[in-house]
Amino acid sequence: MTPHINAPEGAFADVVLMPGDPLRAKFIAEKFLDNVQEVTNVRNMLGYTGTYKGRRISVMGHGMGIPSCSIYSKELITEYGVKKIIRVGSCGAVRQDVKLRDVVIGIGACTDSKVNRIRFRDHDFAAIADFDMVQAAVQAAKNKGVKVRAGNLFSTDLFYSPDIAMFDVMEKYGILGVEMEAAGIYAVAAEYGAKALCICTVSDHIRTGEQTSSEERQLTFNEMIEIALESVLIGDVTE
């Protein structure tokens, strides 16, 4: 056990899906997994392990922001032997060609956070997803007939950013989605020898003001979840 996870040794599968919201973790476990058991609940950050088409998989919330997700992903990797983390979350869009409920696969993640500079001796660290996991997710989406966008995310520390002009810069540089965790998870995975991927569903559009409700974010976005789960099966075959 750790200060933040009260699961016993061996409670987690080698692959963990991680939404920000612990209630979304509960929803994923109950809707998509069989033989589900709750394995951790410290601070109500719920975690579950079950099977998907016979494959053992875990799902656990990681909270909001890089500090929170970094704690849980680090402990899962170093204390529970997790090899792969797939963040399944929501993001905002700044580009007009990215629409509400589009699925975005984060090949890389820019950030305004300093955490990666702290761990990388004040140099820029290119926070990128594992290539094989990206490839498996793209293939899973194609198999389902779901169009996905693959490219760069922006992981911000401030949900309510005062720097509105930065959205223009993000659009110019082709940022597909703005969220708060991918750059941290990618760096934690790199530091501790694991693999990671971030798949997001566009929950709101920063330019148009369109948005989904908190209930919709918790209970829908099923295409993203199915892509993540199927990508695990594809990865097992191709590795």
Side-chain angles (χ1 to χ4, degrees):
M1 298 183 185
T2 76
H4 310 98
I5 302 174
N6 60 353
E9 184 179 357
F12 287 96
D14 62 320
V15 178
V16 181
L17 271 61
M18 298 195 78
D21 184 353
L23 292 181
R24 192 183 302 161
K26 184 175 188 289
F27 169 78
I28 294 169
E30 292 176 347
K31 182 174 178 63
F32 294 99
L33 302 184
D34 297 319
N35 306 312
V36 172
Q37 289 187 324
E38 181 181 300
V39 296
T40 185
N41 55 19
V42 176
R43 301 190 181 194
N44 289 319
M45 192 57 72
L46 304 173
Y48 303 86
T49 296
T51 59
Y52 176 75
K53 297 184 178 180
R55 209 286 188 193
R56 191 167 183 255
I57 291 178
S58 297
V59 55
M60 179 182 173
H62 61 51
M64 290 188 289
I66 288 176
S68 180
C69 72
S70 296
I71 290 171
Y72 293 113
S73 56
K74 187 271 182 191
E75 291 181 358
L76 287 173
I77 294 166
T78 62
E79 307 305 316
Y80 290 95
V82 172
K83 304 300 183 186
K84 294 180 180 179
I85 291 174
I86 305 177
R87 164 165 152 70
V88 282
S90 57
C91 68
V94 293
R95 289 171 47 169
Q96 295 296 338
D97 61 331
V98 180
K99 306 299 182 183
L100 214 64
R101 293 189 177 82
D102 278 359
V103 177
V104 175
I105 295 173
I107 297 175
C110 310
T111 186
D112 55 15
S113 173
K114 196 180 177 181
V115 293
N116 289 346
R117 278 185 166 267
I118 293 172
R119 62 165 46 94
F120 208 58
R121 298 183 61 83
D122 205 33
H123 299 295
D124 289 331
F125 174 77
I128 57 173
D130 177 74
F131 175 78
D132 290 334
M133 292 177 71
V134 171
Q135 197 170 41
V138 171
Q139 185 60 55
K142 287 181 178 178
N143 292 348
K144 289 183 57 61
V146 177
K147 182 181 178 181
V148 294
R149 310 292 295 271
N152 228 336
L153 299 170
F154 188 96
S155 302
T156 181
D157 272 351
L158 292 177
F159 185 88
Y160 298 107
S161 175
D163 188 7
I164 305 302
M166 186 60 194
F167 296 135
D168 294 329
V169 177
M170 292 181 198
E171 185 170 11
K172 177 181 178 180
Y173 280 82
I175 298 297
L176 293 176
V178 184
E179 49 84 73
M180 301 184 71
E181 291 87 18
I185 292 174
Y186 288 173
V188 168
E191 183 176 6
Y192 295 102
K195 300 177 180 181
L197 173 66
C198 178
I199 307 174
C200 287
T201 300
V202 177
S203 61
D204 58 281
H205 204 292
I206 295 167
R207 301 296 199 184
T208 67
E210 297 174 280
Q211 58 183 325
T212 56
S213 68
S214 58
E215 184 177 10
E216 287 176 311
R217 291 192 292 274
Q218 179 183 319
L219 299 177
T220 58
F221 298 173
N222 291 349
E223 286 183 338
M224 167 182 65
I225 305 304
E226 291 169 355
I227 289 168
L229 291 168
E230 289 293 325
S231 76
V232 176
L233 304 184
I234 292 172
D236 287 344
V237 172
T238 57
E239 287 183 351

